[in-house]
Amino acid sequence: MLAESRGLSMEAEQLYRAMLDGRQITPGAELAELERFGLVRAGAAGVEVCPPRAALSAFAAQHEAAAVRAREAAEVLGAAYSLRTGRDADFVEVLRSRDEVIATFEAMQTQAGVDIVALDPGSYMSPKPEVSTVQPGSMARGIGYRVVYDSSVLQDDDGFAQVQSSIALGEQARVFPRLPLKLVIADSNRALIAVPNSDAGDVLALLIHPSMLLSALIELFESFWRMAVPVRAGGPDDAEAAQEPTLATRRLLALLSGGLTDEAIARELGISERTVLRRISRLQQLLGAQTRFQLGAQASRQGWL
């Protein structure tokens, strides 16, 4: 909101507008806030409003100066941190212990203001996804979650149950085979990459701050999100889905990808056009495809063609 973006609360802005309209006011926190911003002052006839542009411009200048000082301090402290710990404090931080990785992962969720997106290939010790006790609270305060899971996660009973539990909370979940890495991105300004560390026998992670690398990781996630198949609540292990792809489905998809019309497909399969339409609609729903082109693409990614 405009008022919040310039540092002035909505209540104080409403009071300022009321004073401009000549309405009666009573002293309170909002009036004190207007005084701090230099938007009102004591006059001969009582409290008077001041022109807002100069006052708020001065406030913005103060915060811009503070931001500059903060960036300068970050450079100085970053250099000291790097010298002391031997870690790169520029845009990549190395996390060498499992506790450090978990603490960072939880902090990213509790501090998020907009969303969390992730690629989850499951645990490196088992196909189960990492269980987050922080996610329910973050989602309850409005943080959006989009997660692409490796298909192996949904083949494990516990992993599938955990994914379904997250979907029930409001998470948007998709699935894709053979994800290349475990990745979490918070608010598009921090990314956590976890990879196996065979030398240390533990998890090695990289915390990525705003940089070209972070931008590339964001685009990497979005690419997998576009390619992945949506996971429906209770969907992938339904009896119907578990039987796919049947021989009949493979034949239908092959004819469809060959560019045949519904009439030609019906004639080839010895069924009615209405049945062809019904089967195509069912497959689109099963694979989360909106169009026939998407159906062909999703079926190909799942190895159904």
Side-chain angles (χ1 to χ4, degrees):
M1 297 173 69
L2 179 59
E4 293 173 348
S5 67
R6 66 190 183 211
L8 187 66
S9 72
M10 182 60 69
E11 292 78 11
E13 180 179 346
Q14 290 172 347
L15 179 61
Y16 184 83
R17 292 177 182 274
M19 294 178 69
L20 287 176
D21 293 337
R23 282 178 271 169
Q24 290 288 342
I25 63 168
T26 56
E30 291 79 13
L31 183 60
E33 183 178 351
L34 292 177
E35 290 176 343
R36 289 197 304 273
F37 275 84
L39 291 170
V40 297
R41 66 185 175 193
V47 181
E48 300 175 350
V49 295
C50 301
R53 189 179 300 277
L56 292 177
S57 294
F59 171 81
Q62 291 174 0
H63 280 260
E64 288 170 1
V68 170
R69 289 195 297 272
R71 284 192 289 269
E72 292 174 347
E75 291 296 327
V76 173
L77 295 177
Y81 176 86
S82 182
L83 181 64
R84 178 75 174 177
T85 66
R87 300 181 184 182
D88 186 354
D90 185 11
F91 64 87
V92 178
E93 293 183 47
V94 179
L95 311 181
R96 291 185 169 86
S97 75
R98 182 177 180 83
D99 289 344
E100 195 175 13
V101 173
I102 293 174
T104 300
F105 175 47
E106 292 181 347
M108 289 173 68
Q109 295 178 84
T110 57
Q111 296 168 8
V114 179
D115 64 2
I116 296 289
V117 301
L119 300 179
D120 192 347
S123 168
Y124 291 113
M125 302 303 294
S126 72
K128 302 175 186 177
E130 294 294 341
V131 180
S132 172
T133 58
V134 178
Q135 181 176 349
S138 296
M139 297 189 75
R141 61 185 178 86
I143 304 304
Y145 277 71
R146 288 188 295 149
V147 183
V148 179
Y149 293 96
D150 192 277
S151 54
S152 62
V153 170
L154 301 185
Q155 294 169 10
D156 175 82
D157 290 342
D158 290 340
F160 176 77
Q162 290 168 16
V163 172
Q164 289 295 306
S165 177
S166 296
I167 293 174
L169 291 173
E171 175 184 288
Q172 296 182 61
R174 296 188 178 185
V175 61
F176 192 87
R178 296 182 297 280
L179 292 177
L181 78 169
K182 183 185 290 288
L183 170 68
V184 180
I185 303 173
D187 290 343
S188 297
N189 61 26
R190 281 193 298 173
L192 185 66
I193 305 174
V195 294
N197 182 9
S198 56
D199 294 334
D202 205 341
V203 175
L204 171 69
L206 302 177
L207 180 61
I208 313 298
H209 297 284
S211 58
M212 291 182 64
L213 176 57
L214 177 60
S215 299
L217 290 172
I218 293 171
E219 181 54 39
L220 176 68
F221 168 80
E222 294 297 345
S223 296
F224 276 103
W225 181 258
R226 289 190 293 267
M227 294 187 296
V229 177
V231 179
R232 297 182 294 112
D237 72 339
D238 287 345
E240 181 183 32
Q243 296 172 3
E244 294 293 353
T246 63
L247 179 59
T249 293
R250 289 184 184 276
R251 290 189 62 194
L252 173 59
L253 290 171
L255 295 172
L256 192 63
S257 63
L260 275 67
T261 64
D262 291 351
E263 181 183 2
I265 293 175
R267 186 168 55 250
E268 185 72 23
L269 297 179
I271 57 179
S272 67
E273 285 187 58
R274 177 171 295 183
T275 300
V276 171
L277 288 171
R278 187 171 63 251
R279 289 185 181 179
I280 291 175
S281 177
R282 168 184 162 275
L283 290 173
Q284 284 180 296
Q285 182 179 13
L286 199 61
L287 293 180
Q290 300 297 318
T291 66
R292 293 189 178 193
F293 176 80
Q294 290 178 357
L295 173 60
Q298 301 287 38
S300 178
R301 295 185 189 112
Q302 295 300 304
W304 288 16
L305 280 172

